[in-house]
Amino acid sequence: MTTAHTCESCGMPIETGRYCGYCTDDSGQLQSFDERFERMVAWQARRDPQAAREELERQTLDYMATMPAWRDHPRVTKP
């Protein structure tokens, strides 16, 4: 598989479009920030089951700040 670019929400390699299938709803629209945030935190928790929820949330927000879909979102940019 040759990938042209990455999902603007999570960074997963994709061939077409702006977002991968994990980041979109049934109609192909980007999921809400809250839904995507919770799913990304859950993914981090599976990777590091010993981490505290607070740390997982911080890591997720830090990562989301690098993604075009979320970098300007108020939950990501607040100090």
Side-chain angles (χ1 to χ4, degrees):
M1 176 172 114
T2 303
T3 57
H5 58 283
T6 59
C7 174
E8 292 181 17
S9 172
C10 72
M12 175 182 243
I14 55 177
E15 291 186 27
T16 62
R18 294 178 64 188
Y19 310 115
C20 71
Y22 294 106
C23 292
T24 55
D25 61 20
D26 291 338
S27 65
Q29 299 299 307
L30 182 63
Q31 294 169 350
S32 71
F33 176 86
D34 291 333
E35 183 174 1
R36 185 79 321 251
F37 178 72
E38 286 303 320
R39 289 179 181 216
M40 291 174 86
V41 169
W43 183 81
Q44 277 290 88
R46 288 190 300 276
R47 292 185 70 216
D48 188 1
Q50 303 304 313
R53 171 73 187 202
E54 182 178 284
E55 177 62 16
L56 295 170
E57 288 182 2
R58 185 196 61 75
Q59 291 173 356
T60 300
L61 287 172
D62 287 350
Y63 184 74
M64 290 176 89
T66 70
M67 296 288 96
W70 308 116
R71 65 178 159 224
D72 295 325
H73 192 279
R75 292 258 322 263
V76 173
T77 60
K78 76 177 185 182

